Amino acid sequence: MKKKKWIKIGSITFVLIMVINIVASFYFYDLAIKREKKDFLVGNDDLTVSSEAMDVFIEGSWRDWESKQRFAEWSIHSFDGLKLFGNYLEAEEPTNKTVIFAHGYLGKSRDMALYGQHYYEDLGYNIFSPDLRGHGKSEGDYIGFGWHDRLDYVKWIDRVIEEQGPDTEIILHGLSMGAATVLMTSGEDLPDNVKAVIADSPYTSSYDLFDHQMERMYNLPSFPVLPTTNLVTNMQAGYSLTEASALEQVKKAEVPILYLHGDSDSFVPTDMTNQLYSNTKSEADMTIFENAGHGEAFAIYPDKYESVLSDFLTKYMD
């Protein structure tokens, strides 16, 4: 009788644990991936911005510059029927060089004007910045963390070539989730028009990022909640966190890649960029910026950032 009693207790306990795990997995899916208002990052110490960077993000001249530009709105339909939008600004002088930006998590296309001003005014590029699926004006009820977005970017690349002509030269420049997006794009079969990829503060995979943040933000081990969240994501959004891997994509990349990261980034650990750089199949360079937090490198070290970028582009642009 005692044995049966303990078996019954064990069975009930197992079922309760599984129910709690499933509920927690749906909670984390809704928290991080489902498209809805999110405030869980407010107060996150890992995203505390230095006063120097904050001045640039909030009051930098780029904001006034962006507000005065007359962007043309473009749109495409994704492979799964979403209408996606982006903003295009033609260079002041005719050029065949275009940069396609990819913004970060919960951002929007025009946030990348921080970098766009430099490409436009100093380098003379056309600039194009889409709203990633699930962001801004683009449709989508989930955030792709770069995976489905990579296929969207293949379509945006084709659109730029269609508009600019067959001799156009394209740079992909992404920040944070946008950096992972352009790295995931780099592993696809890209036209020769794509000359280089710039990845600022990227993560290795969505799974690795969730694993890191569950421990940092909630003091939770990844098992068993994260594997179940992975299954929920696949069921709800049509992709898994494990397959959304920039690391696996750069192992197939043929386009040159420049990695940029701050050594004080605790939101997306700097070591993730080290791993990406070490596993990149194509030609690659990497610069680590001292005392820079997540996405702060350009705001704190604009001259160095522009110099590193210029040196890299000079090697690969005609």
Side-chain angles (χ1 to χ4, degrees):
M1 292 297 293
K2 283 187 176 181
K3 183 177 180 181
K4 289 183 178 180
K5 179 181 178 181
W6 284 111
I7 290 175
K8 185 176 181 180
I9 292 173
S11 298
I12 293 172
T13 302
F14 175 77
V15 171
L16 285 173
I17 291 173
M18 290 303 297
V19 169
I20 293 170
N21 180 39
I22 292 171
V23 170
S25 297
F26 274 95
Y27 168 78
F28 280 113
Y29 173 84
D30 288 350
L31 181 77
I33 299 173
K34 183 179 179 181
R35 185 176 192 171
E36 59 185 11
K37 184 178 179 181
K38 301 183 184 301
D39 56 12
F40 71 98
L41 293 177
V42 177
N44 186 327
D45 291 341
D46 289 348
L47 288 174
T48 299
V49 179
S50 67
S51 58
E52 186 177 1
M54 183 63 77
D55 288 343
V56 175
F57 293 152
I58 301 300
E59 300 179 357
S61 63
W62 66 276
R63 289 194 173 275
D64 184 57
W65 175 83
E66 185 274 334
S67 68
K68 294 177 180 177
Q69 305 311 310
R70 301 184 65 179
F71 290 87
E73 184 175 85
W74 289 0
S75 66
I76 58 170
H77 283 89
S78 68
F79 70 93
D80 51 351
L82 300 178
K83 191 170 185 180
L84 307 176
F85 292 89
N87 293 293
Y88 174 78
L89 183 63
E90 186 175 354
E92 292 183 317
E93 298 293 334
T95 180
N96 68 333
K97 294 177 172 57
T98 301
V99 57
I100 302 178
F101 289 115
H103 62 76
Y105 182 68
L106 304 183
K108 59 185 183 299
S109 62
R110 293 200 174 192
D111 293 342
M112 296 304 289
L114 172 64
Y115 305 86
Q117 183 180 16
H118 172 61
Y119 275 95
Y120 186 81
E121 292 191 338
D122 301 326
L123 302 181
Y125 278 50
N126 307 303
I127 62 176
F128 176 65
S129 191
D131 283 326
L132 275 67
R133 57 173 54 213
H135 292 78
K137 291 189 65 175
S138 290
E139 295 179 348
D141 59 7
Y142 66 85
I143 295 170
F145 280 90
W147 190 242
H148 286 168
D149 308 275
R150 84 195 193 283
L151 301 179
D152 301 336
Y153 268 68
V154 171
K155 279 204 161 190
W156 282 126
I157 289 166
D158 289 342
R159 176 63 186 275
V160 169
I161 296 171
E162 178 185 332
E163 295 283 345
Q164 297 291 339
D167 66 339
T168 189
E169 297 182 352
I170 296 171
I171 301 298
L172 306 180
H173 188 140
L175 176 69
S176 191
M177 186 181 76
T181 297
V182 296
L183 292 179
M184 292 179 196
T185 305
S186 76
E188 298 302 305
D189 184 16
L190 300 178
D192 293 339
N193 305 79
V194 180
K195 299 299 183 181
V197 169
I198 316 299
D200 186 336
S201 310
Y203 47 80
T204 47
S205 74
S206 300
Y207 193 95
D208 292 343
L209 181 64
F210 274 52
D211 188 7
H212 172 73
Q213 287 303 328
M214 286 182 73
E215 181 180 352
R216 294 281 299 187
M217 295 178 65
Y218 299 100
N219 295 313
L220 289 174
S222 61
F223 186 84
V225 176
L226 189 51
T228 311
T229 304
N230 194 38
L231 294 174
V232 170
T233 304
N234 203 6
M235 179 176 66
Q236 298 286 87
Y239 73 95
S240 71
L241 301 176
T242 48
E243 71 177 332
S245 174
L247 187 64
E248 292 304 313
Q249 288 292 94
V250 299
K251 292 177 182 178
K252 302 184 293 181
E254 297 183 355
V255 61
I257 299 173
L258 172 62
Y259 293 101
L260 307 165
H261 215 125
D263 70 358
S264 297
D265 189 343
S266 53
F267 188 76
V268 177
T270 312
D271 186 57
M272 289 192 179
T273 280
N274 292 325
Q275 292 180 54
L276 288 161
Y277 175 72
S278 298
N279 284 276
T280 299
K281 174 189 173 184
S282 59
E283 295 184 57
D285 290 338
M286 178 176 66
T287 297
I288 304 299
F289 295 81
E290 294 183 0
N291 302 317
H294 187 62
E296 291 187 345
F298 186 58
I300 297 176
Y301 301 103
D303 292 340
K304 180 179 179 181
Y305 195 106
E306 291 174 5
S307 176
V308 169
L309 178 63
S310 179
D311 289 346
F312 184 77
L313 294 180
T314 298
K315 286 194 288 186
Y316 300 110
M317 299 296 283
D318 293 340

